[in-house]
Amino acid sequence: MDLDLVPPVGVGPLRIGMAREAADDALTSFRDPAAVSESDRPGQHVFRPSGLMISIQCSRGVLEAVELGRPVTPADRVLFRGVDVFALPAREVVRRMREHTAIDEDPEEPASFVAPGLLLAFWRPFAADDDPEEEQGHYFGSVLLAEPGYYDTPAQALERSRASAGRESAPPGR
């Protein structure tokens, strides 16, 4: 199965901003009835037979983020504009992402990267860019797609709220 990341909309049937109940149903739709994982936690995460983990995060009754964990086999792929984010080396994913958007090292985890304009975050526990045998550092282990404001600091959230309130109170055409 190919899953296309469409920030900030969602991935597959999981749509950022959808009601929690609908998100739970959409998450369940990823399960393979012939190979249900004992690790599945309804309403939290499911594992596909490939090892692909799909996790949802809800707050205030709505879906705010979807996280996908690297599959063990290539039966499932996670793509962003044709880039297979788990099959390519992390360095190559970052290079290709930069063709579409700004993507920066996470200041708190230098082995990870954030594309704030797309609300995507790529994680690996450490960098081992030149050693494909060291899969945990050579490839990204997870990608997170989130709602606008998900990465905001409290000050940024306040500024976003003020800007939003200003747009709502502005007369049409401004």
Side-chain angles (χ1 to χ4, degrees):
M1 168 190 311
D2 284 353
L3 295 172
D4 290 309
L5 298 169
V6 184
V9 175
V11 56
L14 292 166
R15 298 290 187 232
I16 299 299
M18 71 189 321
R20 167 102 199 175
E21 296 78 21
D24 290 347
D25 291 343
L27 179 64
T28 300
S29 75
F30 286 109
R31 294 176 92 181
D32 181 340
V36 174
S37 171
E38 291 182 17
S39 298
D40 286 0
R41 297 291 175 262
Q44 295 177 4
H45 58 260
V46 299
F47 286 84
R48 296 200 26 90
S50 68
L52 175 70
M53 184 269 310
I54 305 165
S55 174
I56 61 172
Q57 298 171 20
C58 295
S59 179
R60 301 173 310 279
V62 298
L63 180 65
E64 65 178 6
V66 179
E67 183 174 11
L68 299 117
R70 187 170 188 258
V72 178
T73 71
D76 291 319
R77 299 184 320 156
V78 177
L79 307 166
F80 174 74
R81 296 187 181 174
V83 176
D84 188 331
V85 302
F86 294 132
L88 295 172
R91 184 185 299 183
E92 180 66 11
V93 171
V94 170
R95 186 189 71 73
R96 291 190 184 187
M97 289 292 298
R98 286 188 171 136
E99 294 172 3
H100 303 284
T101 190
I103 182 168
D104 305 306
E105 280 187 22
D106 183 327
E108 295 178 19
E109 292 188 51
S112 300
F113 290 80
V114 176
L118 294 177
L119 303 163
L120 287 175
F122 299 86
W123 178 86
R124 58 189 172 158
F126 56 88
D129 290 325
D130 297 324
D131 186 2
E133 296 299 315
E134 188 56 70
E135 288 191 23
Q136 289 186 0
H138 190 66
Y139 300 97
F140 284 118
S142 69
V143 61
L144 182 121
L145 184 148
E147 69 177 350
Y150 186 84
Y151 301 112
D152 288 356
T153 64
Q156 290 169 322
L158 181 60
E159 182 60 30
R160 181 185 298 275
S161 174
R162 287 180 180 156
S164 177
R167 284 192 301 274
E168 291 172 4
S169 64
R174 291 190 123 175

